[in-house]
Amino acid sequence: MTQITNNRAPILCAITVTVSIFMLAPMLLSVFAGLVNNYSTGIKSGLTTRWLEEVWAVYGGTVGWSIAIALACVAGTLILGVPCAYALARSKSRAARAFEELITLPVAVPGLATALALILVYGQMTAFRQSFFFILVGHIIFTLPFMVRTVASAFQRHELLAIEEAARTLGASFPQRFLGVLVPAVFPAIVAGSLMVFTLSIGEFNLTWMLHTPLTRTLPVGLADSYASMRLEIGSAYTLVFFVVILPILWMLQAIANFVQKRYGN
């Protein structure tokens, strides 16, 4: 068995490298296009940062708002999703199962349809419609199922039932049991759900494109706009800005998730 595994290792490694190159090559080429004076002539035209400067001048505001919306989306899904996950994990009724399926509909339904429904309901509220809060509501609706599903599966662990019952026997109130016992016990799942929500929110385009206004653009919407209405080099420079802004944040969040998993996972 060991010999067979060793014989397959080079093949699996080659497949992994090939797939990685296939996936990374377009991104690297796009980044390269944003750093040359003229993409059609390539590196011969010389390297430049002028496209990055133009992107930041026109779309720099989308960076801060996108991060703010993603963080607010995480906070909103935590406030709504964690109690909801607990209720669904503890309830065995058909109504709870029906509600669980209901909140997953925004994942199955195309984002454009969800956005259109929000516009039909709240479109007459002009101030709300033209604010970033409108986009935030859409993001929370879209990402809430991921938080609920992730945390609910952690709440369903059998050992938590015994811990909660022991806390109740000792006289702990529900807020004391929930905040002092259960939430710390499922904290790794909460962090994992938060990382998933942040990642989905920061890169969400379909729903956001329908909900945004010229004054409420986010990073993905600005990226699409730059590719559609400007030079290829500017769109590619925007891609580089997207990577530079988002990747460090995602690496930091992943490091936090790994630390929490090691600290509280056992």
Side-chain angles (χ1 to χ4, degrees):
M1 181 64 67
T2 303
Q3 183 64 35
I4 294 176
T5 302
N6 292 336
N7 291 336
R8 291 179 178 177
I11 298 175
L12 295 176
C13 183
I15 293 174
T16 301
V17 171
T18 301
V19 172
S20 299
I21 292 175
F22 180 80
M23 295 175 62
L24 292 176
M27 292 186 289
L28 295 176
L29 187 61
S30 180
V31 169
F32 169 77
L35 295 174
V36 295
N37 280 300
N38 192 314
Y39 177 70
S40 61
T41 58
I43 194 68
K44 295 179 181 179
S45 63
L47 299 176
T48 182
T49 60
R50 61 175 289 199
W51 309 122
L52 291 173
E53 294 169 2
E54 287 192 29
V55 165
W56 193 259
V58 178
Y59 299 104
T62 64
V63 174
W65 279 114
S66 294
I67 295 174
I69 290 174
L71 292 175
C73 186
V74 171
T77 54
L78 284 173
I79 294 172
L80 298 174
V82 175
C84 181
Y86 172 81
L88 292 176
R90 292 293 181 267
S91 177
K92 304 299 181 183
S93 67
R94 292 183 179 180
R97 301 286 73 81
F99 179 75
E100 186 175 6
E101 295 301 323
L102 181 64
I103 64 173
T104 60
L105 280 180
V107 179
V109 174
L112 294 179
T114 303
L116 179 59
L118 289 172
I119 292 174
L120 291 175
V121 175
Y122 302 111
Q124 301 302 317
M125 302 178 184
T126 305
F128 179 52
R129 173 69 181 88
Q130 296 177 352
S131 70
F132 280 100
F133 290 105
F134 194 52
I135 296 176
L136 174 60
V137 170
H139 281 209
I140 290 177
I141 292 174
F142 174 68
T143 58
L144 185 61
F146 296 93
M147 178 66 76
V148 172
R149 290 280 189 174
T150 303
V151 180
S153 62
F155 275 129
Q156 290 172 346
R157 299 204 309 263
H158 294 296
E159 58 268 27
L160 283 186
L161 293 173
I163 294 174
E164 184 179 8
E165 185 60 32
R168 181 188 292 111
T169 303
L170 293 173
S173 64
F174 175 74
Q176 289 173 328
R177 297 196 306 271
F178 184 74
L179 297 176
V181 177
L182 296 177
V183 169
V186 300
F187 193 58
I190 292 175
V191 173
S194 299
L195 176 60
M196 189 180 306
V197 167
F198 182 89
T199 304
L200 291 170
S201 177
I202 202 76
E204 211 296 316
F205 171 74
N206 291 332
L207 185 147
T208 311
W209 180 81
M210 192 77 169
L211 297 180
H212 89 285
T213 68
L215 298 178
T216 57
R217 289 180 300 189
T218 63
L219 270 170
V221 172
L223 179 60
D225 181 62
S226 66
Y227 271 109
S229 59
M230 297 187 179
R231 292 183 53 147
L232 174 63
E233 291 86 353
I234 293 182
S236 298
Y238 200 119
T239 302
L240 178 56
V241 170
F242 190 91
F243 288 155
V244 169
V245 171
I246 299 306
L247 287 180
I249 297 176
L250 295 181
W251 289 335
M252 180 185 67
L253 293 176
Q254 187 62 58
I256 294 174
N258 292 337
F259 171 78
V260 170
Q261 184 64 39
K262 293 178 180 178
R263 180 69 175 82
Y264 299 97
N266 297 327

